[in-house]
Amino acid sequence: GNSVTQMEGPVTLSEEAFLTINCTYTATGYPSLFWYVQYPGEGLQLLLKATKADDKGSNKGFEATYRKETTSFHLEKGSVQVSDSAVYFCALSFPTGNQFYFGTGTSLTVIP
Amino acid sequence: NAGVTQTPKFQVLKTGQSMTLQCAQDMNHEYMSWYRQDPGMGLRLIHYSVGAGITDQGEVPNGYNVSRSTTEDFPLRLLSAAPSQTSVYFCASSYSAGRNSPLHFGNGTRLTVT
């Protein structure tokens, strides 16, 4: 079946630290991969996406590379800010599918 | 520039009561869906629709009904609420579930069933 596995949280970092949130997937086919972010009290927002192997998605200083050989899409940021505190979700979908598959989310807290 | 609008934001129900969670989008999206978010479970798909008049079940459909009479609206009905339905509910839409189109989410409805 199709599924997404994220690293367990919560993650607490100091401001300007390096961030990695691991995401691996299982898929029958060639999915598109997404990272969504959820700020407190809000719905999820698209952070970045990649649609094929070796693509790199980037936005707001965050990056993730679609690694087909390791079935991974790890989220990275070189220097986190307090405003990056949120829950991050990895997800996949298929070009011809009707469903999105989400990981369980990773909570990030950045302290000054 | 409303996007996806959900109402109400909060609701408390007693066991056995019924209610409808409203969802409307103004982006002319074909695809609409309902998720519930529970601690440690991530988002689980309840029902989805790929166009007006077409609905289908997701991962956790029991206890919920949907209809899609227009492109814009996709209400979620709880016919007889149970404490297990206490959750945060999100409506999301997309130009298409496939074709690499990302989901656009509403701000959620926090439902408590006592």
Side-chain angles (χ1 to χ4, degrees), chain A residues 31-32 34 36 38 41-46 49-51 87 89 93-105, chain B residues 31 35 37 40-43 45 48 50 57-59 88 90 94 96-108:
Chain A
S32 295
F34 305 84
Y36 285 85
Q38 184 181 29
E42 298 183 8
L44 283 71
Q45 305 172 22
L46 177 68
K49 71 175 186 180
T51 59
V87 180
F89 291 88
S93 72
F94 293 92
T96 56
N98 286 325
Q99 294 194 25
F100 288 76
Y101 300 86
F102 285 87
T104 54
Chain B
Y31 180 88
Y35 290 87
Q37 184 180 28
M41 305 287 288
L43 279 82
L45 181 64
Y48 65 94
V50 298
Q57 296 180 353
E59 180 185 358
V88 180
F90 288 99
S94 172
S96 170
R99 302 178 209 165
N100 309 320
S101 299
L103 287 171
H104 297 256
F105 284 82
N107 283 337

Side-chain angles (χ1 to χ4, degrees), chain A residues 18-104:
Chain A
F18 185 86
L19 168 71
T20 300
I21 300 178
N22 290 338
C23 171
T24 57
Y25 67 90
T26 302
T28 53
Y30 300 98
S32 295
L33 301 174
F34 305 84
W35 276 102
Y36 285 85
V37 58
Q38 184 181 29
Y39 298 105
E42 298 183 8
L44 283 71
Q45 305 172 22
L46 177 68
L47 182 59
L48 53 84
K49 71 175 186 180
T51 59
K52 61 183 187 296
D54 299 324
D55 265 3
K56 179 185 283 188
S58 61
N59 186 26
K60 299 181 181 179
F62 291 89
E63 294 183 339
T65 301
Y66 190 139
R67 301 285 188 201
K68 184 167 175 282
E69 63 276 12
T70 54
T71 62
S72 65
F73 193 54
H74 305 322
L75 182 69
E76 296 182 337
K77 186 175 186 183
S79 177
V80 294
Q81 305 300 312
V82 172
S83 58
D84 294 326
S85 298
V87 180
Y88 293 82
F89 291 88
C90 187
L92 67 83
S93 72
F94 293 92
T96 56
N98 286 325
Q99 294 194 25
F100 288 76
Y101 300 86
F102 285 87
T104 54

